[in-house]
Amino acid sequence: MYKKQRHLFTTESVTEGHPDKMCDQISDAVLDAIYQKDPNARVACETMVSSDLVVISGEITTGCSIDFLKVVRDVIRSIGYTNPEYGFDADSCKILVALNKQSPDIAMGVDQALEIREGAMNEGDIEAIGAGDQGIMFGFACNETPELMPLATSLSNKLVRRLSEIRKDGTIGYLRPDGKAQVTVEYEDSKPIRIDTIVISTQHDPGVSIEQIKKDLHHHVISHVVPKFNRQ
C-alpha cells in the first residue's frame, strides 16, 4: 500500500536592518552611484558591518569621483538607524573605505575578451568586454505561489516586508530596524498542505512585554500576510 511522503521545508528572510541585508544594500548603493556617472565602470565592492563600524572594500575601475561616505550614511539613514541608542547611527558610525583599482591580471581579461585577443570573433562594443571574475548561480521556478517561488520563501519575504512597513509608518512605534521571519511548510508528496510554524524575531525598545509583541505581530503582520485557512 502506498504511503504518502511528508516533509518540512523552512525558509528564513531578514529585514533591511539586519546586518547581512545592510551589507547588500550598501554594496548595491556604491555600484549604483558609480554607474550613474560611469556606465563603463567595473565594480567589485564588498561590505562588512560591526558595532558602529562599516567597512567597504574591493576593486573598482572608474574615472568618476564618488562620495562614498555620503552613500553609506544615506543607506543607513534610509534603513532607520538614526538613533545612537540602537547601537548603530547613520551620522556617528565609523566608516572605513578600502577600495582599490582593479588588479592588472583581472583587468587584462576584462579590458578585452579572450575571443577578441585570439581573433575568434569580430570586435564590437559588447563582445569586447570580458566578464572578469565569474560565478554561477542557479535556481528554478515552481507553481506554489504567483511569484513562482516556494511558499515558505514567498511568505517569509512578505512577513519581513510587512514588518518594515509597520515600523516605518509608525503602526508599531517600538520596533527597531533589525528583524527576521522564518516559515516552515509541511509537504505531502511534494505539495504544500499547511504552514507548520512561523517565527518572527525583531529588535524593539526596552520595556515592551513579550505578550504585547506577540499580540501586535500577530495582528499587524501575520494576519496581513498568511492566508486565514493556514493560520492556527
Side-chain angles (χ1 to χ4, degrees):
M1 183 177 179
Y2 174 74
K3 183 179 180 180
K4 293 183 178 179
Q5 301 296 313
R6 294 197 176 195
H7 71 276
L8 299 176
F9 179 79
T10 300
T11 295
E12 181 180 273
S13 299
V14 299
T15 62
E16 58 194 335
H18 188 279
D20 294 345
K21 186 67 72 173
M22 282 184 61
C23 291
D24 291 340
Q25 292 172 93
I26 292 171
S27 295
D28 288 348
V30 169
L31 177 68
D32 291 344
I34 293 175
Y35 276 180
Q36 285 178 0
K37 293 185 175 181
D38 182 5
N40 295 316
R42 297 194 290 273
V43 182
C45 176
E46 296 288 348
T47 303
M48 180 188 74
V49 297
S50 183
S51 298
D52 202 37
L53 172 67
V54 178
V55 178
I56 55 174
S57 64
E59 296 184 340
I60 294 178
T61 298
T62 182
C64 70
S65 177
I66 299 295
D67 186 348
F68 293 111
L69 298 185
K70 182 178 185 304
V71 170
V72 173
R73 295 193 191 281
D74 285 349
V75 171
I76 298 172
R77 190 175 296 107
S78 70
I79 291 172
Y81 283 114
T82 56
N83 188 334
E85 292 183 2
Y86 294 171
F88 210 103
D89 176 61
D91 295 316
S92 61
C93 69
K94 296 180 287 293
I95 302 174
L96 173 61
V97 179
L99 295 169
N100 302 304
K101 188 175 180 179
Q102 192 174 49
S103 70
D105 291 337
I106 294 179
M108 180 179 65
V110 180
D111 291 336
Q112 198 173 55
L114 177 63
E115 292 84 356
I116 293 293
R117 298 199 303 271
E118 293 182 346
M121 57 187 290
N122 295 324
E123 186 166 357
D125 291 338
I126 297 177
E127 289 81 0
I129 301 176
D133 290 337
Q134 300 182 41
I136 296 176
M137 298 180 65
F138 72 95
F140 63 91
C142 64
N143 60 4
E144 293 179 15
T145 64
E147 303 90 348
L148 305 181
M149 299 289 286
L151 179 59
T153 303
S154 175
L155 291 177
S156 62
N157 286 342
K158 291 177 180 178
L159 287 168
V160 295
R161 189 177 298 118
R162 176 65 180 169
L163 196 59
S164 291
E165 289 174 357
I166 62 174
R167 172 178 62 85
K168 289 186 171 182
D169 67 18
T171 299
I172 301 182
Y174 57 76
L175 294 178
R176 293 185 178 183
D178 192 2
K180 63 177 63 176
Q182 187 180 88
V183 178
T184 299
V185 174
E186 183 177 9
Y187 284 76
E188 183 177 86
D189 289 345
S190 300
K191 294 182 179 180
I193 59 172
R194 73 181 186 93
I195 297 171
D196 181 83
T197 307
I198 295 175
V199 179
I200 299 178
S201 173
T202 180
Q203 284 183 323
H204 59 83
D205 292 344
V208 184
S209 68
I210 297 298
E211 290 73 19
Q212 184 65 47
I213 295 172
K214 289 173 62 177
K215 178 182 178 181
D216 288 343
L217 294 184
H218 190 279
H219 178 69
H220 293 290
V221 180
I222 297 176
S223 65
H224 282 255
V225 172
V226 182
K228 291 183 178 180
F229 64 87
N230 275 320
R231 294 206 304 270
Q232 297 181 358

